[in-house]
Structures are given as structure tokens and as C-alpha cells.
Amino acid sequence: QKEVEQNSGPLSVPEGAIASLNCTYSDRGSQSFFWYRQYSGKSPELIMFIYSNGDKEDGRFTAQLNKASQYVSLLIRDSQPSDSATYLCAVGLNFGNEKLTFGTGTRLTIIP
Amino acid sequence: DTEVTQTPKHLVMGMTNKKSLKCEQHMGHRAMYWYKQKAKKPPELMFVYSYEKLSINESVPSRFSPECPNSSLLNLHLHALQPEDSALYLCASSQVSEETQYFGPGTRLLVL
């Protein structure tokens, strides 16, 4: 059974610091990896996706993928109070319209 | 434009009612999804449509009936729901060749 695990938190980070969110997955066949941000009462919003080993940067966000160790992480630089949300890691097999397996999410709180 | 719209935003219904949720996207995506999300849980896949055909049904009770009238529209017909069906219902869409899913704002359903 495919599993995706995240530390549920809450993770508290001072404003301006780097927030580091981690995700591990069990299926070695996984090929696509996504980070969604979800504010309380709202729907998930896609932040990043990554397919290849290494780092992918987009503004203040960096996704890191290590397929050998089966983990994917999200770094948020210069954390802002508006980054306070639940971050969902999702993993797919990249066959197209396959279902994504979601982690339970990490609740991040940025402390002003 | 990465917008998926859903109506209504909120819905209250009795256990004997029949209602429908609607989802629309104009991104040219040919895969559309229904998810159910309970509080503090990740989204749970219900149905996947690919090229307007049902491709995945995650053993959802028959009181939920999906319909995809065309490539832009997805409906979820509700009948004889139970209070435990109260949740946030999310629609998402993607290209069939990709797994990057974009979520709509959701419909918050309360069954009395």
C-alpha cells in the first residue's frame, strides 16, 4: 500500500527564518511529487511540483527530492505570517490521471 | 488561467433531499476529479473522469452519483446522504498526460 508520511506538527518558525517541511513515501515507483498549501477552511493550492532528483526553486520556495532516500522536502525562505497554513505533500506515479496519494499534512505557524 | 470553479460554496441538506454540486474548468483539462475532505484530514479521492469517462471509482456509496456532461463540466449528484457525509467536497482538474491537479474552492456540505 502506498503511503506518504508527514510530521503533523504544529511546526512553529519565527518570521524571517527558514521553514523546512519533510515528506517520506513508501512506493519506489513514485515519479511525481507535489506540495500544496491549504489555509484553514480553504481548498488546497498548488505551490510546487518536482519530478527529478535535486532542488527546484520558485521564489521563496525550494522543493528538494531524493528518490534514493524516498523523501521530498519543501523549504520556505524568509517565512512570513501569511505562510501559516497546512502543507500537504502528494505523490503520484506520473502515468497521467492517476490518483495522488496525500500525506496528512504539516501545520506550519509563522511567529511574528 | 488555472481556475476551477465550484457551486454552491455552501450547502445544507436534509437526509431525504436531492442536490447537486457543480464544477467547471476552462483550462482544456480532460481529467477531472472529485475529492472529499473532512476536517484535519487530507483530501480523499472519490471519482476520476478521463475524457468524460469514469476511470476511477474509489468504492464510493451509490448515494453519490458523478456525471461529466462535457469536457468542462463535472457534477456530483447527492441523494439520501448521511450526517457523516458532511465535509468539504473538492473538484480538481488536470491534463490527462500530467498529474498536476488544480483544485477548485470547494463546496462545504452539511447534512442534517
Side-chain angles (χ1 to χ4, degrees):
Chain A
Q1 183 172 346
K2 292 180 277 189
E3 291 184 354
V4 176
E5 295 191 0
Q6 298 180 251
N7 188 324
S8 61
L11 176 65
S12 296
V13 174
E15 182 175 358
I18 296 175
S20 178
L21 304 163
N22 299 313
C23 172
T24 59
Y25 59 95
S26 62
D27 190 335
R28 284 198 171 273
S30 302
Q31 296 292 329
S32 55
F33 306 87
F34 304 88
W35 284 100
Y36 287 87
R37 176 177 64 197
Q38 188 170 25
Y39 294 114
S40 181
K42 302 295 185 182
S43 65
E45 173 191 8
L46 181 67
I47 296 178
M48 299 274 301
F49 58 87
I50 186 167
Y51 298 140
S52 303
N53 274 331
D55 294 359
K56 179 181 179 183
E57 187 175 317
D58 184 1
R60 295 187 297 113
F61 299 97
T62 299
Q64 299 175 317
L65 175 61
N66 184 323
K67 289 186 179 178
S69 300
Q70 294 177 244
Y71 83 78
V72 57
S73 62
L74 179 70
L75 301 179
I76 307 175
R77 289 182 300 281
D78 189 23
S79 297
Q80 302 297 309
S82 59
D83 295 325
S84 298
T86 295
Y87 289 80
L88 295 164
C89 172
V91 175
L93 289 177
N94 201 28
F95 294 146
N97 75 304
E98 275 286 335
K99 62 179 184 177
L100 297 178
T101 300
F102 283 86
T104 52
T106 297
R107 188 154 59 91
L108 174 65
T109 300
I110 305 302
I111 304 168
Chain B
D1 182 7
T2 56
E3 188 175 84
V4 177
T5 60
Q6 290 186 244
T7 55
K9 290 183 181 178
H10 302 276
L11 179 61
V12 180
M13 60 186 292
M15 290 188 283
T16 58
N17 292 158
K18 285 185 181 181
K19 296 286 185 183
S20 296
L21 309 184
K22 180 179 172 181
C23 173
E24 192 166 4
Q25 56 87 18
H26 294 287
M27 295 180 278
H29 291 169
R30 300 300 295 273
M32 296 185 77
Y33 310 76
W34 280 116
Y35 287 88
K36 172 183 176 181
Q37 188 177 26
K38 303 281 267 185
K40 300 190 189 303
K41 298 289 187 183
E44 180 183 335
L45 183 67
M46 300 174 72
F47 303 103
V48 180
Y49 274 83
S50 178
Y51 295 110
E52 296 88 69
K53 287 186 167 48
L54 184 65
S55 60
I56 296 179
N57 177 341
E58 291 289 287
S59 303
V60 178
S62 60
R63 58 185 183 269
F64 296 91
S65 175
E67 178 195 22
C68 190
N70 60 54
S71 59
S72 301
L73 278 176
L74 185 66
N75 298 320
L76 185 64
H77 304 296
L78 314 173
H79 173 54
L81 294 192
Q82 305 296 310
E84 59 265 28
D85 297 321
S86 299
L88 180 66
Y89 287 84
L90 296 162
C91 174
S93 72
S94 74
Q95 299 284 5
V96 172
S97 58
E98 297 179 9
E99 287 182 306
T100 308
Q101 295 181 21
Y102 297 92
F103 284 87
T107 294
R108 188 159 299 281
L109 173 67
L110 177 62
V111 182
L112 299 177

